[in-house]
Amino acid sequence: MITVSIIGAGNVATHLFKAFSKTKTVSVKQWYSRDLNKISSFKNKVEIVADLNGLAEADIYIIAVSDDAISSVSEALPFKDRLVVHTSGSVGIYDLDKKNRRAVFYPLQTFSKEAKVDFKQVPICIETIGKKDYPQLKSLAVALGSPHYRVNSDQRKALHLAAVFVNNFTNQLYRVAHEITESEGVEFDILKPLILETAQKVQTMSPYMAQTGPAKRNDKNTIKRHLKQLKNEQHKAIYNLLTNTIKKTHGR
Amino acid sequence: MITVSIIGAGNVATHLFKAFSKTKTVSVKQWYSRDLNKISSFKNKVEIVADLNGLAEADIYIIAVSDDAISSVSEALPFKDRLVVHTSGSVGIYDLDKKNRRAVFYPLQTFSKEAKVDFKQVPICIETIGKKDYPQLKSLAVALGSPHYRVNSDQRKALHLAAVFVNNFTNQLYRVAHEITESEGVEFDILKPLILETAQKVQTMSPYMAQTGPAKRNDKNTIKRHLKQLKNEQHKAIYNLLTNTIKKTHGR
Ligand SMILES: NC(=O)c1ccc[n+]([C@@H]2O[C@H](COP(=O)([O-])OP(=O)(O)OC[C@H]3O[C@@H](n4cnc5c(N)ncnc54)[C@H](OP(=O)(O)O)[C@@H]3O)[C@@H](O)[C@H]2O)c1
Ligand SMILES: NC(=O)c1ccc[n+]([C@@H]2O[C@H](COP(=O)([O-])OP(=O)(O)OC[C@H]3O[C@@H](n4cnc5c(N)ncnc54)[C@H](OP(=O)(O)O)[C@@H]3O)[C@@H](O)[C@H]2O)c1
């Protein structure tokens, strides 16, 4: 049995607590929140604490607080030489206070409090300073049923940046499509199957191979017509930039 | 029973033939290809023809040829006053020869010959000039099990343009993410569950509501760090443009 204490009461902390509670090999010893009201509904399921000095011994401490607070929370921990991880894609491993054994347990997914999370669909990127801390964190990922990867700092930061492209920027393209359809009074719903199929296609095929469309074919007439059709200057700028990027990728 | 003849032997024609063959209410009368070799493997299932003059009477003729050829093929049809549709998102309905009853049957999905198509996931956008031709085309979509929408020309063109954003441009963002991960020697696979989740989220939530991340929060430090991390000028330009668009959308 691996014992874990969770620090923080946000999206990631809450989903981790629920997921660990369902495993047979991980037991959540304590759950810390600076505001007990946030987690009081769980008080029959786990010991909840509002003071870092109340933290008892555990195998792993998971700091799942806002990026800006990771460093100060790790400093405030009242013990040393224990395994302490944060869950951020962008905060440095060395931002954790060096009195403890430092590591990162970064779940590469988008979490929100309402939505259910299937940890089979949450790749865990593990970074450790000492090699010997890796197996236990790997066991933690295995207990969750999550795919897991060992990464270094540069790789984790590259993944975090790439995630902005496939998550935030892609979602903004969906938003632009919503604006375009709305401007003609036609339902955005019609695009939903295509959105899903586009994401599904690259599960088994590289994005390079999956590309189609006027930019890849360098179909000048269609491109010209589309640009004329676009009234919004920002939409036009996105169209131009991404069309040129596709052309470059495919040697046009 | 609705009788249909298919003109063309590409992706769309082939998937439509297979799908109609499975229905109980639509029968494919003839299948035309200018090159019979392309469809000779189907000759035991349907009458194949290589000459437009060989086309017999049918309720609906579906012209599923390259956009550029739609107009000339429709002109070459040796009959009049029958229902003739094309399947393009961008070609005008009036590009069809006016000697026949003209309409559009636009399947808003991405087709490739190898990949299987589930027509339940293929919204059909129907445009007719005369109101009376709509019910039969609707029946055709119903027979396929497809969601169907009545649209006008402007709406169909808006959908076609929006599809470029959610399909081609989104796929290019996946490609950029692939380049970013590859440059650090880390697997693109790690991003696949996030790609799917991002597409799934907007099936039930608007893209506006689904947005998260540094641009939406206007988290200047992270944005600055990401821009420093990006070495490729085109990646940087995409980052800047989409970050600014997100800020604008969310009033930052
Ligand atoms: N959300 C995601 O999709 C996602 C995905 C992967 C990784 N992550 C990473 O996971 C970590 C947590 O993210 P999240 O989304 O769970 O954040 P969140 O929902 O905003 O929650 C942040 C939590 O941190 C607590 N906190 C902030 N400052 C604190 C301090 N000085 N002392 C103690 N607690 C403090 C907050 O407490 P109060 O409630 O009292 O304010 C809150 O419980 C971050 O490092 C983030 O980068 C997030
Ligand atoms: N693919 C998609 O994802 C998709 C989605 C929605 C709508 N559409 C629309 O569906 C239509 C067909 O697209 P597709 O992807 O099936 O195209 P495709 O795979 O490239 O096939 C085009 C077909 O048109 C035939 N053709 C071209 N010029 C011709 C001519 N002058 N006379 C007779 N036949 C001619 C070709 O014959 P050969 O084989 O002899 O060259 C080929 O069979 C287009 O209007 C397209 O915009 C496509």
Side-chain angles (χ1 to χ4, degrees), chain B residues 8-13 32-35 38 64-67 69-70 72-73 87-89 106-107 109-111:
Chain B
N11 294 317
V12 172
Y32 162 91
S33 169
R34 60 176 173 186
D35 173 1
K38 291 261 164 67
V65 302
S66 320
D67 284 356
I70 290 172
S72 63
V73 167
T87 60
S88 171
Y106 169 44
Q109 251 303 1
T110 163
F111 294 95

Side-chain angles (χ1 to χ4, degrees), chain A residues 100-115:
Chain A
N100 281 298
R101 281 150 41 216
R102 297 170 282 184
V104 181
F105 191 80
Y106 168 45
L108 200 152
Q109 251 303 1
T110 164
F111 294 97
S112 49
K113 247 181 186 164
E114 325 78 55

Side-chain angles (χ1 to χ4, degrees), chain B residues 135-146:
Chain B
Q136 202 161 34
L137 292 173
K138 183 181 154 178
S139 304
L140 211 56
V142 169
L144 293 170
S146 301

